Amino acid sequence: MADTPSMAQCLLAFFFLLLNGPSVSDVDAARDALRPFLNALAIVESNGKDDAVGDNGKALGRYQVWQVYWADAIEHCPEIGGRYKDVANKDYAERIVVAYLLRYAPKAVSAKDWETLARVHNGGPRGHKSKATLKYWKKIERALAKNEAK
């Protein structure tokens, strides 16, 4: 009979993940699960243009990632590595966005709560609580509906 982990071992593994952040494999698995959201986000942020520059040069790539956002994601998942300017690459940028969302909205990632994810992406760690991010969420919601209709 195979050994099954105890509840204590499972809890320890969960807390280890929370404290140490996800691996690139964890991030990539979440990327696949978040594909509809990531596609809508790219359309709203840059119309899917990897070379997009916005916010007076402060935001780069298809997801319009700021350097502080990138640093948060790298701190949470150092295994991603790279440099800030690498967010101009779609796959790299997606790992950054997902690592950031796993850091600040892990329950929303698991639940595929697109609204919370959009508002955190737009407004920071507590963006989902800010009225200022509601308009942004509506843009994402329309992009999601448009992609579903295809």
Side-chain angles (χ1 to χ4, degrees), residues 50-71:
D50 289 319
D51 61 352
V53 177
D55 296 325
N56 297 316
K58 293 179 184 176
L60 301 178
R62 72 176 43 223
Y63 300 107
Q64 292 296 279
V65 174
W66 284 44
Q67 191 161 6
V68 67
Y69 184 113
W70 170 83

Side-chain angles (χ1 to χ4, degrees), residues 6-120:
S6 69
M7 180 61 104
Q9 289 171 319
C10 290
L11 284 172
L12 186 61
F14 176 74
F15 286 116
F16 181 80
L17 179 62
L18 282 178
L19 291 173
N20 294 301
S23 68
V24 169
S25 297
D26 297 328
V27 169
D28 286 343
R31 273 174 66 197
D32 290 341
L34 299 179
R35 178 57 45 209
F37 172 74
L38 291 170
N39 291 344
L41 189 65
I43 293 302
V44 169
E45 288 289 357
S46 69
N47 207 22
K49 295 179 183 172
D50 289 319
D51 61 352
V53 177
D55 296 325
N56 297 316
K58 293 179 184 176
L60 301 178
R62 72 176 43 223
Y63 300 107
Q64 292 296 279
V65 174
W66 284 44
Q67 191 161 6
V68 67
Y69 184 113
W70 170 83
D72 265 357
I74 290 296
E75 183 177 75
H76 190 55
C77 184
E79 187 183 344
I80 294 172
R83 296 175 298 183
Y84 172 59
K85 71 178 187 172
D86 295 334
V87 298
N89 171 284
K90 177 185 181 258
D91 291 330
Y92 182 85
E94 286 183 351
R95 282 180 169 165
I96 294 299
V97 170
V98 172
Y100 183 88
L101 295 174
L102 284 168
R103 181 175 196 171
Y104 292 112
K107 289 180 184 175
V109 170
S110 294
K112 297 183 183 177
D113 177 353
W114 304 148
E115 179 178 355
T116 297
L117 296 176
R119 295 175 71 193
V120 167

